Amino acid sequence: MNVAGLSIAGIQAGLKSRQFSAAELAGEALRFASEENPKTNAYLHLCPERAMETARRVDAELAAGRDPGPLAGVPVAVKDVIVTRGVRTTCGSKLLEKFVPPYDATAVVRLEQAGGVVVGKTNCDEFAMGSSNENSAFGPVRNPVALDRVPGGSSGGSAAVVAQGTAVVSLGSDTGGSIRQPASFCGVVGVPPTYGRVSAYGLVAFASSLDHIGPFSRNVADAATLLKVIAGRDDMDATSAAAPVQDYHAAMTGDLRGVRIGLPKEYFAGLESETGDRVHAAVDVLRKLGCEIVDISLPHTEYAISAYYIICTAEASSNLARYDGVRYTTRSSDAATLQDMYRHTRGEGFGAECKRRIMLGTYVLSHGYYDAYYLKAQRVRNLLTRDFQQAFEKVDAVVAPVSPFPAFKLGEKLADPLQMYLSDIYTITGDLAGIPCMSVPCGTTSAGLPVGMQILTRHFDEPGMFRVAHAYERAVTR
Ligand code: GLN
């Protein structure tokens, strides 16, 4: 059985025709994952007992003639910032090295109810802060496409396992690009939906007004299937939306005639590179499929990085205050007083990037600077959101690159955090506006490195986004 070549539809067909059982598939997926993982370090840990238990339940349902759900038997990997009951959840941090959550995130509950088999937890930047997966306390992830390169971040592990074939689909989280950028670097599909579309209950908080969960997959249809399962209102998360979950597959007609696609000039200026060429070539495909290509402007784009790194650090400084050595975390043994216990636990436990953000965030929220930085950044966020709203009066979708460059070499940007932040230029705008924005593979550079095209649509227009992505994918893989 070739786990690496399977799709959700292929698994459903295999189970129905009794080519394999869910337990056989889970066993093979776990074996393949432990064999391949040393190459990439993409999984932090596997959870064989839990996987086999779910798989056997699926087999029992099938044997009893019941429908185990749209993800029956599908091996799924989960980013280690999403909590799993009884299975360690480290957030890529030394502080939570031994943390075993007492509950499951809603997205995990839903995917298991649909028959999905959680096989393991994936590596990521510490508390999802980073763009290369090099901020993990448990070592970086290597890109399966080119092992000397980063897989992107922060959901680098979740992108790598899908690209490597050790999971069929996976869950990641996106705050400023952490699903799309690794998806583009590893050559897979990555989908951050509308903020609030998927419950964030059980997603460990980094920047709460931006954090959201979404799928990775090897094709557009699989991402749509997984998203449909995990989406929808959840009483455990007040920010989850009550809007009904649409039928994404029904939108994937292959017909793009008359669809208006906006190309924001701010995203293409200065992109004279192979990345730019690949995205332009993809736009030509969309044009041939009958799309009308319209030049647009998102004028406040240049302020996005500054606004994002103020808002996310402010929220992070508050969210990370809970790791104080009293709850959840390992505690420093080197402390005579309570103050020292806090200080040493946090000092020893957090990596450099988290400390940098806690300090910056504390500063921008401090009395006297709150108005000048935090409030101003929120105003800029409104302007960015309005840019998109105005664009969507003229076009149905916006198409842009995901990253200015393909996967870079391990260590290449580590010494310069500012360079790392600047690499998020094309992705953080979608998060600040809270709109759906997926990455679809659109070819490779001459060195064989994957490039991603970003498709952004109005709030809750996931159907429109999948429609464009699916038609494009079909046109180029046929
Ligand atoms: N690279 C961005 C950051 O470091 C985005 C991270 C994310 O989306 N979680 O904040």
Side-chain angles (χ1 to χ4, degrees), residues 79 125 127-132 135 153-155 173-181 206-207 210-211 308-309 312 353 357 420-421 423-424 427-428 431:
K79 184 180 184 181
D125 286 300
F127 291 104
M129 298 176 188
S131 311
S132 69
N135 295 335
S154 64
S155 314
S173 69
D174 203 293
T175 302
S178 280
I179 291 178
R180 283 157 290 159
Q181 189 249 23
F206 154 22
L210 295 156
D211 299 338
Y308 170 80
Y309 277 97
C312 86
E353 186 59 32
R357 296 197 189 197
M420 198 73 99
Y421 295 172
S423 72
D424 299 333
T427 50
I428 54 187
D431 294 278

PDB file of all heavy atoms in Angstrom, residues 79 125 127-132 135 153-155 173-181 206-207 210-211 308-309 312 353 357 420-421 423-424 427-428 431, ligand 1:
ATOM      1  N   LYS A  79      -0.955  19.878  13.956  1.00  0.00           N
ATOM      2  CA  LYS A  79       0.101  20.775  14.444  1.00  0.00           C
ATOM      3  C   LYS A  79       0.127  20.790  15.968  1.00  0.00           C
ATOM      4  O   LYS A  79      -0.929  20.822  16.611  1.00  0.00           O
ATOM      5  CB  LYS A  79      -0.162  22.193  13.906  1.00  0.00           C
ATOM      6  CG  LYS A  79       0.914  23.215  14.245  1.00  0.00           C
ATOM      7  CD  LYS A  79       0.566  24.585  13.661  1.00  0.00           C
ATOM      8  CE  LYS A  79       1.649  25.621  13.893  1.00  0.00           C
ATOM      9  NZ  LYS A  79       1.281  26.950  13.342  1.00  0.00           N
ATOM     10  N   ASP A 125       7.201  26.211  14.748  1.00  0.00           N
ATOM     11  CA  ASP A 125       7.921  27.244  15.477  1.00  0.00           C
ATOM     12  C   ASP A 125       7.294  27.398  16.855  1.00  0.00           C
ATOM     13  O   ASP A 125       6.082  27.210  17.026  1.00  0.00           O
ATOM     14  CB  ASP A 125       7.825  28.580  14.725  1.00  0.00           C
ATOM     15  CG  ASP A 125       8.710  28.607  13.493  1.00  0.00           C
ATOM     16  OD1 ASP A 125       9.926  28.448  13.642  1.00  0.00           O
ATOM     17  OD2 ASP A 125       8.176  28.788  12.382  1.00  0.00           O
ATOM     18  N   PHE A 127       5.302  28.306  19.803  1.00  0.00           N
ATOM     19  CA  PHE A 127       4.050  29.049  19.893  1.00  0.00           C
ATOM     20  C   PHE A 127       3.671  29.687  18.551  1.00  0.00           C
ATOM     21  O   PHE A 127       3.077  30.771  18.509  1.00  0.00           O
ATOM     22  CB  PHE A 127       4.080  30.091  21.022  1.00  0.00           C
ATOM     23  CG  PHE A 127       4.097  29.459  22.384  1.00  0.00           C
ATOM     24  CD1 PHE A 127       5.269  29.416  23.120  1.00  0.00           C
ATOM     25  CD2 PHE A 127       2.967  28.855  22.907  1.00  0.00           C
ATOM     26  CE1 PHE A 127       5.313  28.795  24.371  1.00  0.00           C
ATOM     27  CE2 PHE A 127       2.993  28.234  24.153  1.00  0.00           C
ATOM     28  CZ  PHE A 127       4.162  28.206  24.886  1.00  0.00           C
ATOM     29  N   ALA A 128       4.050  29.022  17.473  1.00  0.00           N
ATOM     30  CA  ALA A 128       3.685  29.442  16.102  1.00  0.00           C
ATOM     31  C   ALA A 128       4.303  30.781  15.699  1.00  0.00           C
ATOM     32  O   ALA A 128       3.757  31.494  14.870  1.00  0.00           O
ATOM     33  CB  ALA A 128       2.159  29.472  15.927  1.00  0.00           C
ATOM     34  N   MET A 129       5.434  31.105  16.289  1.00  0.00           N
ATOM     35  CA  MET A 129       6.087  32.376  15.950  1.00  0.00           C
ATOM     36  C   MET A 129       7.298  32.106  15.077  1.00  0.00           C
ATOM     37  O   MET A 129       8.344  31.675  15.574  1.00  0.00           O
ATOM     38  CB  MET A 129       6.540  33.083  17.221  1.00  0.00           C
ATOM     39  CG  MET A 129       5.392  33.426  18.126  1.00  0.00           C
ATOM     40  SD  MET A 129       6.013  34.153  19.637  1.00  0.00           S
ATOM     41  CE  MET A 129       4.501  34.214  20.570  1.00  0.00           C
ATOM     42  N   GLY A 130       7.142  32.370  13.791  1.00  0.00           N
ATOM     43  CA  GLY A 130       8.267  32.169  12.894  1.00  0.00           C
ATOM     44  C   GLY A 130       7.818  31.908  11.479  1.00  0.00           C
ATOM     45  O   GLY A 130       6.620  31.721  11.209  1.00  0.00           O
ATOM     46  N   SER A 131       8.766  31.914  10.561  1.00  0.00           N
ATOM     47  CA  SER A 131       8.464  31.723   9.146  1.00  0.00           C
ATOM     48  C   SER A 131       9.347  30.638   8.537  1.00  0.00           C
ATOM     49  O   SER A 131       9.445  30.528   7.317  1.00  0.00           O
ATOM     50  CB  SER A 131       8.685  33.025   8.380  1.00  0.00           C
ATOM     51  OG  SER A 131       8.049  34.100   9.034  1.00  0.00           O
ATOM     52  N   SER A 132      10.004  29.840   9.368  1.00  0.00           N
ATOM     53  CA  SER A 132      10.935  28.849   8.824  1.00  0.00           C
ATOM     54  C   SER A 132      10.979  27.550   9.615  1.00  0.00           C
ATOM     55  O   SER A 132      11.689  26.625   9.251  1.00  0.00           O
ATOM     56  CB  SER A 132      12.348  29.433   8.788  1.00  0.00           C
ATOM     57  OG  SER A 132      12.825  29.597  10.124  1.00  0.00           O
ATOM     58  N   ASN A 135      12.444  28.036  14.792  1.00  0.00           N
ATOM     59  CA  ASN A 135      12.287  28.455  16.187  1.00  0.00           C
ATOM     60  C   ASN A 135      11.717  27.353  17.067  1.00  0.00           C
ATOM     61  O   ASN A 135      11.289  27.625  18.182  1.00  0.00           O
ATOM     62  CB  ASN A 135      11.366  29.682  16.276  1.00  0.00           C
ATOM     63  CG  ASN A 135      11.963  30.905  15.603  1.00  0.00           C
ATOM     64  OD1 ASN A 135      13.183  31.002  15.481  1.00  0.00           O
ATOM     65  ND2 ASN A 135      11.120  31.818  15.150  1.00  0.00           N
ATOM     66  N   GLY A 153       7.252  28.301   7.782  1.00  0.00           N
ATOM     67  CA  GLY A 153       6.736  28.220   9.144  1.00  0.00           C
ATOM     68  C   GLY A 153       5.553  29.163   9.328  1.00  0.00           C
ATOM     69  O   GLY A 153       5.209  29.893   8.413  1.00  0.00           O
ATOM     70  N   SER A 154       4.901  29.051  10.423  1.00  0.00           N
ATOM     71  CA  SER A 154       5.280  28.196  11.531  1.00  0.00           C
ATOM     72  C   SER A 154       4.790  26.751  11.413  1.00  0.00           C
ATOM     73  O   SER A 154       5.317  25.876  12.088  1.00  0.00           O
ATOM     74  CB  SER A 154       4.739  28.790  12.834  1.00  0.00           C
ATOM     75  OG  SER A 154       3.332  28.820  12.833  1.00  0.00           O
ATOM     76  N   SER A 155       3.790  26.487  10.542  1.00  0.00           N
ATOM     77  CA  SER A 155       3.259  25.111  10.445  1.00  0.00           C
ATOM     78  C   SER A 155       4.125  24.258   9.523  1.00  0.00           C
ATOM     79  O   SER A 155       3.606  23.520   8.678  1.00  0.00           O
ATOM     80  CB  SER A 155       1.818  25.126   9.924  1.00  0.00           C
ATOM     81  OG  SER A 155       1.026  26.092  10.559  1.00  0.00           O
ATOM     82  N   SER A 173      -2.091  26.070  11.739  1.00  0.00           N
ATOM     83  CA  SER A 173      -2.741  27.312  12.159  1.00  0.00           C
ATOM     84  C   SER A 173      -2.055  28.471  11.469  1.00  0.00           C
ATOM     85  O   SER A 173      -0.874  28.400  11.138  1.00  0.00           O
ATOM     86  CB  SER A 173      -2.653  27.476  13.679  1.00  0.00           C
ATOM     87  OG  SER A 173      -1.316  27.718  14.067  1.00  0.00           O
ATOM     88  N   ASP A 174      -2.854  29.492  11.207  1.00  0.00           N
ATOM     89  CA  ASP A 174      -2.363  30.665  10.487  1.00  0.00           C
ATOM     90  C   ASP A 174      -2.690  31.908  11.303  1.00  0.00           C
ATOM     91  O   ASP A 174      -3.833  32.122  11.710  1.00  0.00           O
ATOM     92  CB  ASP A 174      -3.051  30.741   9.119  1.00  0.00           C
ATOM     93  CG  ASP A 174      -2.257  31.538   8.091  1.00  0.00           C
ATOM     94  OD1 ASP A 174      -2.117  32.769   8.278  1.00  0.00           O
ATOM     95  OD2 ASP A 174      -1.799  30.948   7.107  1.00  0.00           O
ATOM     96  N   THR A 175      -1.678  32.715  11.562  1.00  0.00           N
ATOM     97  CA  THR A 175      -1.828  33.971  12.287  1.00  0.00           C
ATOM     98  C   THR A 175      -1.369  35.099  11.371  1.00  0.00           C
ATOM     99  O   THR A 175      -1.972  36.164  11.327  1.00  0.00           O
ATOM    100  CB  THR A 175      -0.977  33.933  13.584  1.00  0.00           C
ATOM    101  OG1 THR A 175      -1.404  32.829  14.368  1.00  0.00           O
ATOM    102  CG2 THR A 175      -1.096  35.221  14.381  1.00  0.00           C
ATOM    103  N   GLY A 176      -0.293  34.797  10.629  1.00  0.00           N
ATOM    104  CA  GLY A 176       0.246  35.791   9.691  1.00  0.00           C
ATOM    105  C   GLY A 176       0.768  35.146   8.419  1.00  0.00           C
ATOM    106  O   GLY A 176       1.522  35.768   7.673  1.00  0.00           O
ATOM    107  N   GLY A 177       0.417  33.901   8.196  1.00  0.00           N
ATOM    108  CA  GLY A 177       0.881  33.233   6.973  1.00  0.00           C
ATOM    109  C   GLY A 177       1.341  31.804   7.196  1.00  0.00           C
ATOM    110  O   GLY A 177       1.813  31.130   6.271  1.00  0.00           O
ATOM    111  N   SER A 178       1.182  31.333   8.420  1.00  0.00           N
ATOM    112  CA  SER A 178       1.769  30.049   8.814  1.00  0.00           C
ATOM    113  C   SER A 178       1.176  28.814   8.168  1.00  0.00           C
ATOM    114  O   SER A 178       1.699  27.720   8.348  1.00  0.00           O
ATOM    115  CB  SER A 178       1.679  29.883  10.327  1.00  0.00           C
ATOM    116  OG  SER A 178       2.717  30.607  10.919  1.00  0.00           O
ATOM    117  N   ILE A 179       0.081  28.954   7.429  1.00  0.00           N
ATOM    118  CA  ILE A 179      -0.385  27.816   6.625  1.00  0.00           C
ATOM    119  C   ILE A 179       0.068  28.009   5.177  1.00  0.00           C
ATOM    120  O   ILE A 179       0.661  27.116   4.569  1.00  0.00           O
ATOM    121  CB  ILE A 179      -1.923  27.658   6.693  1.00  0.00           C
ATOM    122  CG1 ILE A 179      -2.340  27.210   8.101  1.00  0.00           C
ATOM    123  CG2 ILE A 179      -2.402  26.640   5.651  1.00  0.00           C
ATOM    124  CD1 ILE A 179      -3.841  27.059   8.302  1.00  0.00           C
ATOM    125  N   ARG A 180      -0.174  29.204   4.633  1.00  0.00           N
ATOM    126  CA  ARG A 180       0.102  29.419   3.199  1.00  0.00           C
ATOM    127  C   ARG A 180       1.591  29.354   2.867  1.00  0.00           C
ATOM    128  O   ARG A 180       1.981  28.765   1.866  1.00  0.00           O
ATOM    129  CB  ARG A 180      -0.445  30.796   2.762  1.00  0.00           C
ATOM    130  CG  ARG A 180      -1.938  30.811   2.568  1.00  0.00           C
ATOM    131  CD  ARG A 180      -2.473  32.210   2.707  1.00  0.00           C
ATOM    132  NE  ARG A 180      -2.391  32.664   4.087  1.00  0.00           N
ATOM    133  CZ  ARG A 180      -2.397  33.917   4.486  1.00  0.00           C
ATOM    134  NH1 ARG A 180      -2.449  34.885   3.601  1.00  0.00           N
ATOM    135  NH2 ARG A 180      -2.338  34.223   5.773  1.00  0.00           N
ATOM    136  N   GLN A 181       2.425  29.992   3.690  1.00  0.00           N
ATOM    137  CA  GLN A 181       3.845  30.041   3.330  1.00  0.00           C
ATOM    138  C   GLN A 181       4.484  28.654   3.347  1.00  0.00           C
ATOM    139  O   GLN A 181       5.135  28.265   2.369  1.00  0.00           O
ATOM    140  CB  GLN A 181       4.548  31.065   4.225  1.00  0.00           C
ATOM    141  CG  GLN A 181       5.981  31.374   3.832  1.00  0.00           C
ATOM    142  CD  GLN A 181       6.922  30.833   4.875  1.00  0.00           C
ATOM    143  OE1 GLN A 181       6.553  29.917   5.610  1.00  0.00           O
ATOM    144  NE2 GLN A 181       8.126  31.383   4.962  1.00  0.00           N
ATOM    145  N   PHE A 206      -1.699  32.410  20.413  1.00  0.00           N
ATOM    146  CA  PHE A 206      -0.518  33.245  20.145  1.00  0.00           C
ATOM    147  C   PHE A 206      -1.033  34.675  20.033  1.00  0.00           C
ATOM    148  O   PHE A 206      -0.808  35.494  20.918  1.00  0.00           O
ATOM    149  CB  PHE A 206       0.178  32.695  18.887  1.00  0.00           C
ATOM    150  CG  PHE A 206       1.007  33.660  18.060  1.00  0.00           C
ATOM    151  CD1 PHE A 206       1.536  34.835  18.583  1.00  0.00           C
ATOM    152  CD2 PHE A 206       1.285  33.346  16.729  1.00  0.00           C
ATOM    153  CE1 PHE A 206       2.302  35.700  17.789  1.00  0.00           C
ATOM    154  CE2 PHE A 206       2.045  34.217  15.939  1.00  0.00           C
ATOM    155  CZ  PHE A 206       2.537  35.394  16.470  1.00  0.00           C
ATOM    156  N   ALA A 207      -1.757  34.997  18.968  1.00  0.00           N
ATOM    157  CA  ALA A 207      -2.382  36.311  18.824  1.00  0.00           C
ATOM    158  C   ALA A 207      -3.857  36.055  18.513  1.00  0.00           C
ATOM    159  O   ALA A 207      -4.226  35.800  17.376  1.00  0.00           O
ATOM    160  CB  ALA A 207      -1.720  37.091  17.709  1.00  0.00           C
ATOM    161  N   LEU A 210      -6.115  36.919  15.519  1.00  0.00           N
ATOM    162  CA  LEU A 210      -5.640  36.500  14.195  1.00  0.00           C
ATOM    163  C   LEU A 210      -5.569  34.978  14.033  1.00  0.00           C
ATOM    164  O   LEU A 210      -5.723  34.462  12.925  1.00  0.00           O
ATOM    165  CB  LEU A 210      -4.235  37.071  13.950  1.00  0.00           C
ATOM    166  CG  LEU A 210      -4.115  38.595  13.856  1.00  0.00           C
ATOM    167  CD1 LEU A 210      -2.703  39.043  14.205  1.00  0.00           C
ATOM    168  CD2 LEU A 210      -4.489  39.075  12.463  1.00  0.00           C
ATOM    169  N   ASP A 211      -5.307  34.262  15.132  1.00  0.00           N
ATOM    170  CA  ASP A 211      -5.077  32.809  15.061  1.00  0.00           C
ATOM    171  C   ASP A 211      -6.277  32.072  14.472  1.00  0.00           C
ATOM    172  O   ASP A 211      -7.393  32.236  14.957  1.00  0.00           O
ATOM    173  CB  ASP A 211      -4.887  32.219  16.477  1.00  0.00           C
ATOM    174  CG  ASP A 211      -3.698  32.793  17.239  1.00  0.00           C
ATOM    175  OD1 ASP A 211      -2.783  33.323  16.602  1.00  0.00           O
ATOM    176  OD2 ASP A 211      -3.695  32.683  18.487  1.00  0.00           O
ATOM    177  N   TYR A 308       1.037  44.403  11.723  1.00  0.00           N
ATOM    178  CA  TYR A 308       0.952  43.009  12.177  1.00  0.00           C
ATOM    179  C   TYR A 308       1.899  42.743  13.346  1.00  0.00           C
ATOM    180  O   TYR A 308       1.500  42.141  14.349  1.00  0.00           O
ATOM    181  CB  TYR A 308       1.275  42.057  11.020  1.00  0.00           C
ATOM    182  CG  TYR A 308       1.443  40.618  11.464  1.00  0.00           C
ATOM    183  CD1 TYR A 308       0.332  39.806  11.704  1.00  0.00           C
ATOM    184  CD2 TYR A 308       2.709  40.075  11.690  1.00  0.00           C
ATOM    185  CE1 TYR A 308       0.475  38.500  12.132  1.00  0.00           C
ATOM    186  CE2 TYR A 308       2.865  38.762  12.123  1.00  0.00           C
ATOM    187  CZ  TYR A 308       1.748  37.979  12.347  1.00  0.00           C
ATOM    188  OH  TYR A 308       1.901  36.685  12.778  1.00  0.00           O
ATOM    189  N   TYR A 309       3.141  43.191  13.232  1.00  0.00           N
ATOM    190  CA  TYR A 309       4.099  42.858  14.287  1.00  0.00           C
ATOM    191  C   TYR A 309       3.874  43.672  15.560  1.00  0.00           C
ATOM    192  O   TYR A 309       4.431  43.342  16.606  1.00  0.00           O
ATOM    193  CB  TYR A 309       5.547  42.906  13.772  1.00  0.00           C
ATOM    194  CG  TYR A 309       5.877  41.588  13.074  1.00  0.00           C
ATOM    195  CD1 TYR A 309       5.788  41.448  11.699  1.00  0.00           C
ATOM    196  CD2 TYR A 309       6.197  40.458  13.830  1.00  0.00           C
ATOM    197  CE1 TYR A 309       6.034  40.220  11.082  1.00  0.00           C
ATOM    198  CE2 TYR A 309       6.438  39.236  13.228  1.00  0.00           C
ATOM    199  CZ  TYR A 309       6.358  39.121  11.859  1.00  0.00           C
ATOM    200  OH  TYR A 309       6.584  37.899  11.267  1.00  0.00           O
ATOM    201  N   CYS A 312       0.376  41.475  16.794  1.00  0.00           N
ATOM    202  CA  CYS A 312       0.621  40.081  17.225  1.00  0.00           C
ATOM    203  C   CYS A 312       1.537  40.032  18.441  1.00  0.00           C
ATOM    204  O   CYS A 312       1.358  39.182  19.313  1.00  0.00           O
ATOM    205  CB  CYS A 312       1.102  39.202  16.077  1.00  0.00           C
ATOM    206  SG  CYS A 312       2.869  39.223  15.764  1.00  0.00           S
ATOM    207  N   GLU A 353      12.928  34.000  20.148  1.00  0.00           N
ATOM    208  CA  GLU A 353      11.877  34.711  19.402  1.00  0.00           C
ATOM    209  C   GLU A 353      10.705  35.053  20.319  1.00  0.00           C
ATOM    210  O   GLU A 353      10.165  36.161  20.257  1.00  0.00           O
ATOM    211  CB  GLU A 353      11.421  33.868  18.207  1.00  0.00           C
ATOM    212  CG  GLU A 353      10.426  34.560  17.279  1.00  0.00           C
ATOM    213  CD  GLU A 353      10.958  35.859  16.672  1.00  0.00           C
ATOM    214  OE1 GLU A 353      12.180  35.958  16.428  1.00  0.00           O
ATOM    215  OE2 GLU A 353      10.149  36.774  16.447  1.00  0.00           O
ATOM    216  N   ARG A 357       9.310  38.840  21.301  1.00  0.00           N
ATOM    217  CA  ARG A 357       7.934  39.293  21.095  1.00  0.00           C
ATOM    218  C   ARG A 357       7.275  39.702  22.402  1.00  0.00           C
ATOM    219  O   ARG A 357       6.463  40.630  22.431  1.00  0.00           O
ATOM    220  CB  ARG A 357       7.137  38.210  20.383  1.00  0.00           C
ATOM    221  CG  ARG A 357       7.704  37.988  18.995  1.00  0.00           C
ATOM    222  CD  ARG A 357       6.766  37.265  18.101  1.00  0.00           C
ATOM    223  NE  ARG A 357       7.451  36.890  16.862  1.00  0.00           N
ATOM    224  CZ  ARG A 357       6.840  36.535  15.762  1.00  0.00           C
ATOM    225  NH1 ARG A 357       5.532  36.501  15.718  1.00  0.00           N
ATOM    226  NH2 ARG A 357       7.517  36.215  14.686  1.00  0.00           N
ATOM    227  N   MET A 420      13.407  38.023   8.352  1.00  0.00           N
ATOM    228  CA  MET A 420      12.413  36.952   8.507  1.00  0.00           C
ATOM    229  C   MET A 420      11.004  37.562   8.527  1.00  0.00           C
ATOM    230  O   MET A 420      10.102  37.067   7.872  1.00  0.00           O
ATOM    231  CB  MET A 420      12.711  36.206   9.803  1.00  0.00           C
ATOM    232  CG  MET A 420      12.083  34.855   9.916  1.00  0.00           C
ATOM    233  SD  MET A 420      12.874  33.610   8.870  1.00  0.00           S
ATOM    234  CE  MET A 420      13.943  32.780  10.031  1.00  0.00           C
ATOM    235  N   TYR A 421      10.818  38.652   9.262  1.00  0.00           N
ATOM    236  CA  TYR A 421       9.502  39.295   9.341  1.00  0.00           C
ATOM    237  C   TYR A 421       9.073  39.803   7.958  1.00  0.00           C
ATOM    238  O   TYR A 421       7.914  39.695   7.570  1.00  0.00           O
ATOM    239  CB  TYR A 421       9.521  40.490  10.313  1.00  0.00           C
ATOM    240  CG  TYR A 421       9.771  40.142  11.775  1.00  0.00           C
ATOM    241  CD1 TYR A 421       9.977  41.151  12.712  1.00  0.00           C
ATOM    242  CD2 TYR A 421       9.798  38.830  12.221  1.00  0.00           C
ATOM    243  CE1 TYR A 421      10.204  40.855  14.053  1.00  0.00           C
ATOM    244  CE2 TYR A 421      10.028  38.522  13.553  1.00  0.00           C
ATOM    245  CZ  TYR A 421      10.239  39.537  14.462  1.00  0.00           C
ATOM    246  OH  TYR A 421      10.470  39.249  15.786  1.00  0.00           O
ATOM    247  N   SER A 423       9.617  38.631   5.152  1.00  0.00           N
ATOM    248  CA  SER A 423       9.205  37.582   4.220  1.00  0.00           C
ATOM    249  C   SER A 423       7.706  37.294   4.314  1.00  0.00           C
ATOM    250  O   SER A 423       7.148  36.603   3.480  1.00  0.00           O
ATOM    251  CB  SER A 423      10.030  36.306   4.433  1.00  0.00           C
ATOM    252  OG  SER A 423       9.658  35.660   5.627  1.00  0.00           O
ATOM    253  N   ASP A 424       7.029  37.842   5.319  1.00  0.00           N
ATOM    254  CA  ASP A 424       5.585  37.628   5.478  1.00  0.00           C
ATOM    255  C   ASP A 424       4.740  38.660   4.729  1.00  0.00           C
ATOM    256  O   ASP A 424       3.514  38.687   4.861  1.00  0.00           O
ATOM    257  CB  ASP A 424       5.191  37.702   6.964  1.00  0.00           C
ATOM    258  CG  ASP A 424       5.883  36.649   7.806  1.00  0.00           C
ATOM    259  OD1 ASP A 424       6.238  35.596   7.257  1.00  0.00           O
ATOM    260  OD2 ASP A 424       6.064  36.888   9.017  1.00  0.00           O
ATOM    261  N   THR A 427       1.389  37.639   3.014  1.00  0.00           N
ATOM    262  CA  THR A 427       0.407  36.781   3.688  1.00  0.00           C
ATOM    263  C   THR A 427      -0.318  37.464   4.849  1.00  0.00           C
ATOM    264  O   THR A 427      -1.467  37.136   5.130  1.00  0.00           O
ATOM    265  CB  THR A 427       1.075  35.496   4.226  1.00  0.00           C
ATOM    266  OG1 THR A 427       2.239  35.848   4.968  1.00  0.00           O
ATOM    267  CG2 THR A 427       1.428  34.548   3.096  1.00  0.00           C
ATOM    268  N   ILE A 428       0.342  38.406   5.527  1.00  0.00           N
ATOM    269  CA  ILE A 428      -0.275  38.933   6.743  1.00  0.00           C
ATOM    270  C   ILE A 428      -1.493  39.805   6.466  1.00  0.00           C
ATOM    271  O   ILE A 428      -2.348  39.939   7.327  1.00  0.00           O
ATOM    272  CB  ILE A 428       0.742  39.714   7.596  1.00  0.00           C
ATOM    273  CG1 ILE A 428       1.399  40.764   6.773  1.00  0.00           C
ATOM    274  CG2 ILE A 428       1.769  38.823   8.197  1.00  0.00           C
ATOM    275  CD1 ILE A 428       2.513  41.426   7.507  1.00  0.00           C
ATOM    276  N   ASP A 431      -4.695  37.834   6.824  1.00  0.00           N
ATOM    277  CA  ASP A 431      -5.017  37.571   8.233  1.00  0.00           C
ATOM    278  C   ASP A 431      -5.565  38.817   8.906  1.00  0.00           C
ATOM    279  O   ASP A 431      -6.533  38.748   9.667  1.00  0.00           O
ATOM    280  CB  ASP A 431      -3.761  37.113   8.994  1.00  0.00           C
ATOM    281  CG  ASP A 431      -3.252  35.774   8.516  1.00  0.00           C
ATOM    282  OD1 ASP A 431      -3.778  34.753   8.950  1.00  0.00           O
ATOM    283  OD2 ASP A 431      -2.319  35.763   7.698  1.00  0.00           O
TER     284      ASP A 431
HETATM  285  N1  GLN B   1       5.591  34.313  10.301  1.00  0.00           N
HETATM  286  C1  GLN B   1       4.593  34.989  11.051  1.00  0.00           C
HETATM  287  C2  GLN B   1       5.065  35.241  12.457  1.00  0.00           C
HETATM  288  O1  GLN B   1       6.149  34.911  12.744  1.00  0.00           O
HETATM  289  C3  GLN B   1       3.322  34.216  11.027  1.00  0.00           C
HETATM  290  C4  GLN B   1       3.219  33.179  12.064  1.00  0.00           C
HETATM  291  C5  GLN B   1       1.891  32.507  12.056  1.00  0.00           C
HETATM  292  O2  GLN B   1       1.089  32.679  11.138  1.00  0.00           O
HETATM  293  N2  GLN B   1       1.631  31.767  13.099  1.00  0.00           N
HETATM  294  O3  GLN B   1       4.365  35.788  13.256  1.00  0.00           O
END
